[in-house]
Amino acid sequence: MMPQDRSTTTPDEARQAALAELQTTWGHQIDISPNNYGSIYLSMETTSVLCRFEQLSLGHTVVELESPVLLDFVPPPGFYEMLLLHQARIEFGSFQIGAGMEADQIMLTVNGRLFADGLTSTHLKRAISMIHRSAKDQIEILQRITPPLGGSGPYG
């Protein structure tokens, strides 16, 4: 899938190769679309997966995969400790916590990264599937919490 004749794949090359491969193999099952920011959006069951392509300072390109779990919520006491316990259940990737819409809100995603050099379509699709499955599992766990955490997005 990715060019093999160079030591470093550029973000544009990686994005074009990944988009072509994903549309060919998964395009009949899920909506796969590039956006104006240079990412590929995969509209999957329960939550989406976003593929970003970034060049590191050393010149290598990485594919960053992200699937939202819960957006714009105020974390209750003990939330970060709970995340530490759940981190061990994620088979690939890790939790990423970011700023939400308001000052006291956060966003929670499952995030993973792969080097583009030598990446095959099989490995990319497996990584996407694992990130998506991990996010879905975490959504199901959070939906069982009482009282609900609130927020918006895939679980909101």
Side-chain angles (χ1 to χ4, degrees):
M1 178 182 95
M2 305 295 175
Q4 300 284 329
D5 59 343
R6 292 204 272 194
S7 61
T8 304
T9 303
T10 68
D12 286 339
E13 290 171 336
R15 181 177 26 265
Q16 292 304 318
L19 180 60
E21 182 61 32
L22 292 171
Q23 285 178 330
T24 299
T25 59
W26 273 355
H28 62 284
Q29 296 172 324
I30 58 175
D31 181 35
I32 299 168
S33 54
N35 63 27
N36 294 335
Y37 303 104
S39 303
I40 300 172
Y41 180 84
L42 292 88
S43 180
M44 301 176 83
E45 175 193 353
T46 307
T47 186
S48 58
V49 175
L50 187 66
C51 300
R52 292 186 186 100
F53 302 82
E54 161 186 346
Q55 192 163 27
L56 301 177
S57 59
L58 295 176
H60 295 284
T61 298
V62 293
V63 182
E64 186 172 325
L65 307 173
E66 179 181 292
S67 189
V69 174
L70 186 57
L71 309 175
D72 300 324
F73 68 102
V74 178
F79 179 75
Y80 296 103
E81 290 81 0
M82 181 186 74
L83 283 185
L84 287 174
L85 295 173
H86 287 268
Q87 179 65 51
R89 292 181 171 182
I90 295 179
E91 55 189 338
F92 169 71
S94 60
F95 287 117
Q96 180 172 330
I97 301 168
M101 297 294 286
E102 302 294 330
D104 59 347
Q105 294 177 329
I106 65 168
M107 298 174 14
L108 180 66
T109 63
V110 177
N111 180 276
R113 299 176 98 183
L114 303 164
F115 282 107
D117 290 336
L119 183 64
T120 67
S121 60
T122 301
H123 292 129
L124 177 61
K125 288 172 24 182
R126 180 168 164 81
I128 290 170
S129 295
M130 292 169 75
I131 290 288
H132 180 246
R133 184 171 49 244
S134 293
K136 282 177 49 175
D137 290 348
Q138 295 309 311
I139 290 168
E140 290 173 11
I141 289 168
L142 291 176
Q143 285 176 332
R144 292 193 296 262
I145 290 177
T146 304
L149 294 177
S152 61
Y155 157 52

